[in-house]
Amino acid sequence: MFAEVNPPKPEIPNQPPQQPTNNSQGPHPAPPRRQGGLSPRRGPLLPAAPPGPASQLTAAAVSSMAARPGRLPAGLGRRRGAAEAWILLLLWFAGAAVEGAAGTEPPLKCDELRLGQYMCDEPKIDNSTQEPMNCTNHTAYVQCLPAPNITCKDHLGIEKVFTGHEVGFYKPIACRNVNGYSYKVAVALSLFLGWLGADRFYLGYPALGLLKFCTVGFCGIGSLIDFILISMQIVGPSDGSSYIIDYYGARLTRLTITNATFRKMQTYP
């Protein structure tokens, strides 16, 4: 006879006892809550606490956070909102301070306008001197008119909006000191009567004029040299004044380098 042998049954790990199902929950009862580990749907859960009101509150808070993952607790939400409100308030105060600092800047003077924001009149030329009128200490002034809708302080210190017809400031221009010595007359005397010393007598050098008269212009060599020097405006009147030359004619501008001009910084309007 053969003995009936029963095969060994596989060992089943210990499982928590299943809670009795409640027919009131529907045909699909809620899955049992584990005491630790991961939940298949809601992520990690807190370890089970002993039964009592504290554990019930903790379970309710966890379930509420799991049901609404995008929201924060009420306390953290209030703190975050307060922090955002303080940041916005600080930004508003910073913007107001910047606007106040910009508004407290002194108004611009009309003589500080840039090129293109004003237009100056042409100087009035004196026919006898060929220099701008009211030339004093090598300086004359012309009136300048700011462009329309430009706001600045005029020469009287009054701030106003200009329409393009009011004088905003007076611009200084350079002029020369003349004392009646004509450039054309000096060149003509040096060319035709230089061998007699007439050019030196006219410019206020009587000693050299007499010497040229006695030597017939140093045999013509001195007359030629004086003609070149006077034509190039190197030799001028003896009193240090300038020749009377047409204002819009060919003038010689002497450039000198001194300690002041060499160290002066270049300025742009």
Side-chain angles (χ1 to χ4, degrees):
M1 294 182 70
F2 296 96
E4 185 178 353
V5 179
N6 294 327
K9 296 181 179 180
E11 295 182 0
I12 299 175
N14 295 331
Q15 296 182 356
Q18 298 182 357
Q19 298 179 0
T21 58
N22 190 0
N23 295 331
S24 61
Q25 295 180 356
H28 301 284
R33 185 183 303 276
R34 297 185 180 182
Q35 296 186 2
L38 298 176
S39 175
R41 294 184 181 179
R42 298 182 180 178
L45 298 178
L46 299 176
S55 61
Q56 294 178 2
L57 291 177
T58 305
V62 171
S63 61
S64 176
M65 293 177 62
R68 295 177 295 176
R71 299 183 181 179
L72 295 175
L76 293 178
R78 294 194 193 96
R79 294 177 183 177
R80 183 175 181 179
E84 293 178 354
W86 276 107
I87 293 173
L88 292 177
L89 186 62
L90 291 176
L91 292 176
W92 183 83
F93 275 114
V98 171
E99 291 180 359
T104 56
E105 293 182 358
L108 185 68
K109 295 182 180 179
C110 293
D111 55 358
E112 296 176 353
L113 295 176
R114 298 184 177 181
L115 290 177
Q117 295 181 334
Y118 64 90
M119 183 176 62
C120 298
D121 296 339
E122 292 293 333
K124 297 180 180 179
I125 307 303
D126 189 355
N127 293 328
S128 60
T129 62
Q130 287 297 311
E131 294 294 329
M133 293 184 177
N134 302 323
C135 177
T136 306
N137 295 329
H138 303 280
T139 305
Y141 295 90
V142 294
Q143 58 184 10
C144 297
L145 287 68
N149 300 326
I150 292 292
T151 303
C152 60
K153 280 187 176 183
D154 60 3
H155 60 285
L156 299 177
I158 302 175
E159 181 182 1
K160 59 182 178 181
V161 180
F162 290 86
T163 60
H165 302 284
E166 301 90 351
V167 178
F169 65 99
Y170 291 89
K171 183 178 180 180
I173 59 174
C175 60
R176 304 189 308 171
N177 180 28
V178 296
N179 198 18
Y181 295 97
S182 175
Y183 174 72
K184 297 178 180 179
V185 173
V187 171
L189 290 175
S190 180
L191 179 62
F192 297 106
L193 298 176
W195 58 278
L196 296 176
D199 51 354
R200 288 290 180 169
F201 282 111
Y202 175 74
L203 295 177
Y205 304 99
L208 289 176
L210 183 60
L211 187 60
K212 287 179 67 177
F213 177 78
C214 296
T215 58
V216 189
F218 297 102
C219 298
I221 298 176
S223 300
L224 179 61
I225 294 175
D226 277 349
F227 175 74
I228 295 174
L229 294 178
I230 293 174
S231 300
M232 296 180 64
Q233 303 178 26
I234 297 176
V235 174
S238 60
D239 59 357
S241 61
S242 300
Y243 288 114
I244 298 176
I245 307 176
D246 294 341
Y247 185 77
Y248 296 103
R251 293 188 174 192
L252 177 66
T253 302
R254 298 179 181 177
L255 300 178
T256 58
I257 298 178
T258 61
N259 191 28
T261 57
F262 180 75
R263 297 178 179 275
K264 185 176 181 181
M265 298 296 295
Q266 182 71 32
T267 57
Y268 295 92

